[in-house]
Amino acid sequence: MVVIAFTSVFFPVASPPPNSSTKTSGNLSGMPARVHTWGIKLKSSFGSSRGLQVTAHLQTPPKVNGTNVGVMEDPKSEDETMPSPPPVTFINQLPDWSMLLDAITTIFLAAERRWIMLDWKPKRPDLRVEPFYYGRLLQDGLVFRQNFCIRSYEVGADCTATIETIMNILQETALNHVKTLGIQGDDFGATPEMSKRKLVWVVSKMKVLVDRHPTWGDVVQADSWTAAGGKNGIRRDCLLRDCKTGDILARASSLLVMMNKETRKLSRFPNEVRAEIGHYLVDSPPVLDEDGIKIPELDDNTADYVRTGLTPRWSDMDVNLHVNNAKYINWILESAPMQMLESHESAPMQMLESHEVASMTLEYKKECRRDCAVQSLTSVLSNGAGDLADSGYIECHHLLRLEGGPAVLKGRTEWRPKYTKPNVNGRRSAS
Amino acid sequence: MVVIAFTSVFFPVASPPPNSSTKTSGNLSGMPARVHTWGIKLKSSFGSSRGLQVTAHLQTPPKVNGTNVGVMEDPKSEDETMPSPPPVTFINQLPDWSMLLDAITTIFLAAERRWIMLDWKPKRPDLRVEPFYYGRLLQDGLVFRQNFCIRSYEVGADCTATIETIMNILQETALNHVKTLGIQGDDFGATPEMSKRKLVWVVSKMKVLVDRHPTWGDVVQADSWTAAGGKNGIRRDCLLRDCKTGDILARASSLLVMMNKETRKLSRFPNEVRAEIGHYLVDSPPVLDEDGIKIPELDDNTADYVRTGLTPRWSDMDVNLHVNNAKYINWILESAPMQMLESHESAPMQMLESHEVASMTLEYKKECRRDCAVQSLTSVLSNGAGDLADSGYIECHHLLRLEGGPAVLKGRTEWRPKYTKPNVNGRRSAS
């Protein structure tokens, strides 16, 4: 007898219902519900018929150095359909079985002591290699999901993932979404039509809300999707969850616009680009509500602290040859808050040791290139929104500006006390 | 009928031979061959009897919201043995099957339309969650192997992984080795006996040879092991390979010594710590030969360029509250080489744009804490070792020193021209 295991059999709830081509789903945990058609006819380049079709045949295991090993050699199947999209319902998954099972193609039939190879060949060649490192598309490509294991060099001195790490994960998930959809041009996240026009994406505004900072070794799951964002931009939303518990760790929403990488000027939204990505935009409210809080532009009189002479490092630069948006945070978090509390007669580093970022809103005004010198201004609202001061919460306003020049970034951060202190083993104790 | 699949069946070559407790193996591709017993009797806490013992029982799939799903719920097996260590033979593995198969515990028997759950419960609870994100032990724990997918924020402006990223991967693999062995105390990489004595590991010397810098999305495989290193230290070696081709990308060898985190003084090697780790030390030559090149200590007269006023950022600090060893590189690579070429009347950034690091040797002299101000000195050997200058190779010497104080680090780097220029899609073209 032959055992044939289909992905759809492994996941009775995994396959979208027959009407999934309408691109609707339950709106669970902030996941998008409806596609934003934007007046563009939906294309089905990743249509609903992406069931994994397998061809089963018996064969002896391949050999390496004359010894049988369970390694699949170049599948010969001509079937190039994609595996079924997994369900968007979040399940406490230990491990992420659907991701795992996508790759199970060789199993051993003990009764007959023979190997069964289930050939499959995904449409995109890059998915053939180490599929569980890349993440995968959900909901006909509207959503991209990827897991990340927090690494030792991504945590701060307090053993928790830094806010920069969280932003990095959001960026990586977004870029892999575009790459996996097969619409990546010559630059990170840019479509072919954008690359033709020398256009790249730049972040205009970003808001991040962090419920809990993961620690070293935690596996987090990022879900990312895009929506229309004003006249000339798109909105990129992301949910970060603890893979073990399913708890939401962070939510982020950012607005991206296009910049010509030669003229460095912002661009209108070309119709050709709209045609490329329009059918991957969802029509759902932002994962973070607009709070309507206007961030004031600090100056020398209103700032509690001014730090000068900050310069980019080579490692701050991204492929667009400007300081990566996630790197601005270092200038805010690593300079101002520490010094700021010194001016409040607290011990240096007290705030970064005793508090963690609970939320952050950044408005990017101007790009910052390799030769820029930047000033960082911060003011502390000792009685911030509500009773923040009483409860140990701190609210700050920030400004980064070129020395003797215009604003680069306006920001607002909220900090909460670290109630627990994790160690390298992930155990948390009262701090 | 029942299908029972043992890990050892999946891997006919995976299980060590019956005499594997002697801890010998073929010395393939620079992998260590013999354990360094150091006069300590070998313990078998992770002995050779770690075959995966599975208990198979038929059951209906667990339910979520009333629907059957292929998610394993809390296994009840009392069997706590570990899975067999995989073979050390390197196989072009697409994907890493042995890592994958460790986690296959629930399969569907199509003929009988029933689920079979193969219960297993690894000894270490952290391995129960997302096992393929963590890496695994080889050769009875002597070697640790982990795969990494290079992320967008780990590449530089040229789309290739920075030398800092490569060092980060080495660090993460080494720390996960200690963690997975179950001998981690309260600090990164420290054993329980070290933690009792407030001791942490610090890097004393490091040498890295990079054959090729991977690009965004490349999956690299790191193998890491330790050996005795002088009277009071250990040597940590690492091999980095391209998972797709098996090509060696980088080799690194570093010397680690213990520091008391309160007195900040180096420590002798306590016998109790020796007893903890002695049986995980291999007796093999370094993965990189000692080149015998002595790095001169630069001063204001011998340096071509001196950059002052460098200060650590908060993100440079690690859990030991000093600048992480991998961060020193930024001061060397991101400041000196660019400015250095300016003084040689070349365009700024030319060297980092046209050349890549081929090798790097760093000798750490003193730790650098949050309030340090550092100077970076560099000299360029225009006619470096051999005919480096003619072939476009550049050799540099470096010194980092506290302002008005002692040396923090001596270094030597070799740079080669970038013959190809990768783009974000991983394609390389002549630069």
Side-chain angles (χ1 to χ4, degrees), chain A residues 12-13 67 100 133-134 147 151-154 171-172 184-185 217 313-316 334 349 370 425, chain B residues 9 13 67-68 100 133-134 147 151-154 171-172 184-185 217 313-316 334 349 370 425:
Chain A
V13 297
T67 312
L100 182 69
Y133 286 101
Y134 289 119
N147 288 3
R151 299 172 183 167
S152 56
Y153 52 89
E154 295 177 325
Q171 172 189 298
E172 176 74 2
Q184 180 174 274
R313 294 177 182 174
W314 178 253
S315 62
D316 296 333
E334 291 161 22
M349 295 170 72
R370 184 68 175 92
N425 298 306
Chain B
V9 174
V13 297
T67 311
N68 294 337
L100 181 69
Y133 286 101
Y134 289 119
N147 288 3
R151 299 172 183 168
S152 57
Y153 52 89
E154 294 177 325
Q171 171 189 298
E172 176 74 1
Q184 181 174 273
R313 295 178 181 174
W314 177 254
S315 62
D316 296 332
E334 292 161 21
M349 295 170 72
R370 184 69 175 91
N425 298 307

Side-chain angles (χ1 to χ4, degrees), chain A residues 133-348:
Chain A
Y133 286 101
Y134 289 119
R136 62 223 155 86
L137 299 168
L138 311 178
Q139 292 196 63
D140 290 342
L142 289 179
V143 177
F144 187 75
R145 173 173 291 178
Q146 185 171 3
N147 288 3
F148 295 84
C149 184
I150 302 295
R151 299 172 183 167
S152 56
Y153 52 89
E154 295 177 325
V155 303
D158 64 353
C159 272
T160 68
T162 62
I163 189 79
E164 182 187 348
T165 294
I166 290 172
M167 289 181 71
N168 283 338
I169 288 174
L170 309 182
Q171 172 189 298
E172 176 74 2
T173 313
L175 296 180
N176 281 331
H177 190 183
V178 176
K179 188 181 189 181
T180 309
L181 283 172
I183 55 170
Q184 180 174 274
D186 298 332
D187 291 287
F188 274 135
T191 64
E193 290 292 339
M194 287 175 67
S195 294
K196 269 189 200 171
R197 293 162 177 77
K198 311 284 185 195
L199 297 177
V200 294
W201 290 113
V202 292
V203 180
S204 163
K205 187 172 179 178
M206 167 168 272
K207 186 170 180 182
V208 185
L209 202 73
V210 186
D211 294 338
R212 179 164 62 80
H213 291 252
T215 64
W216 177 46
D218 282 354
V219 181
V220 301
Q221 177 183 281
D223 284 331
S224 180
W225 61 91
T226 47
K231 188 180 170 190
N232 284 319
I234 58 170
R235 197 188 76 229
R236 168 67 71 173
D237 282 359
C238 192
L239 268 179
L240 213 64
R241 291 190 181 92
D242 183 323
C243 267
K244 207 185 293 190
T245 64
D247 294 342
I248 290 179
L249 300 174
R251 297 151 236 251
S253 192
S254 53
L255 185 66
L256 297 118
V257 292
M258 277 173 270
M259 181 186 79
N260 184 299
K261 65 178 180 179
E262 289 182 351
T263 65
R264 316 304 284 187
K265 288 186 179 169
L266 297 185
S267 163
R268 66 172 186 83
F269 207 133
N271 285 334
E272 293 83 353
V273 178
R274 215 179 281 271
E276 284 177 312
I277 65 173
H279 44 287
Y280 297 119
L281 301 182
V282 302
D283 185 16
S284 67
V287 72
L288 287 173
D289 292 334
E290 182 57 49
D291 54 22
I293 297 174
K294 188 169 161 53
I295 303 172
E297 184 157 326
L298 297 181
D299 58 31
D300 292 322
N301 296 322
T302 53
D304 291 313
Y305 180 75
V306 179
R307 168 90 187 259
T308 60
L310 301 168
T311 53
R313 294 177 182 174
W314 178 253
S315 62
D316 296 333
M317 313 303 288
D318 64 19
V319 291
N320 293 329
L321 293 179
H322 63 195
V323 174
N324 185 271
N325 68 84
K327 300 291 184 177
Y328 288 95
I329 303 167
N330 292 332
W331 285 330
I332 291 178
L333 301 192
E334 291 161 22
S335 304
M338 184 189 78
Q339 303 292 337
M340 179 185 69
L341 285 192
E342 282 184 325
S343 71
H344 281 68
E345 297 179 3
S346 298

Side-chain angles (χ1 to χ4, degrees), chain B residues 173-225:
Chain B
T173 313
L175 295 180
N176 281 332
H177 190 183
V178 176
K179 189 181 188 181
T180 309
L181 283 172
I183 55 170
Q184 181 174 273
D186 297 332
D187 292 286
F188 275 136
T191 63
E193 290 292 340
M194 287 175 67
S195 295
K196 269 189 200 170
R197 293 163 178 76
K198 311 285 184 195
L199 297 177
V200 294
W201 291 114
V202 291
V203 180
S204 162
K205 187 173 179 178
M206 167 168 273
K207 186 171 180 182
V208 186
L209 201 73
V210 185
D211 294 337
R212 178 164 62 81
H213 291 254
T215 63
W216 177 46
D218 282 354
V219 180
V220 300
Q221 176 182 284
D223 285 331
S224 180
W225 61 91

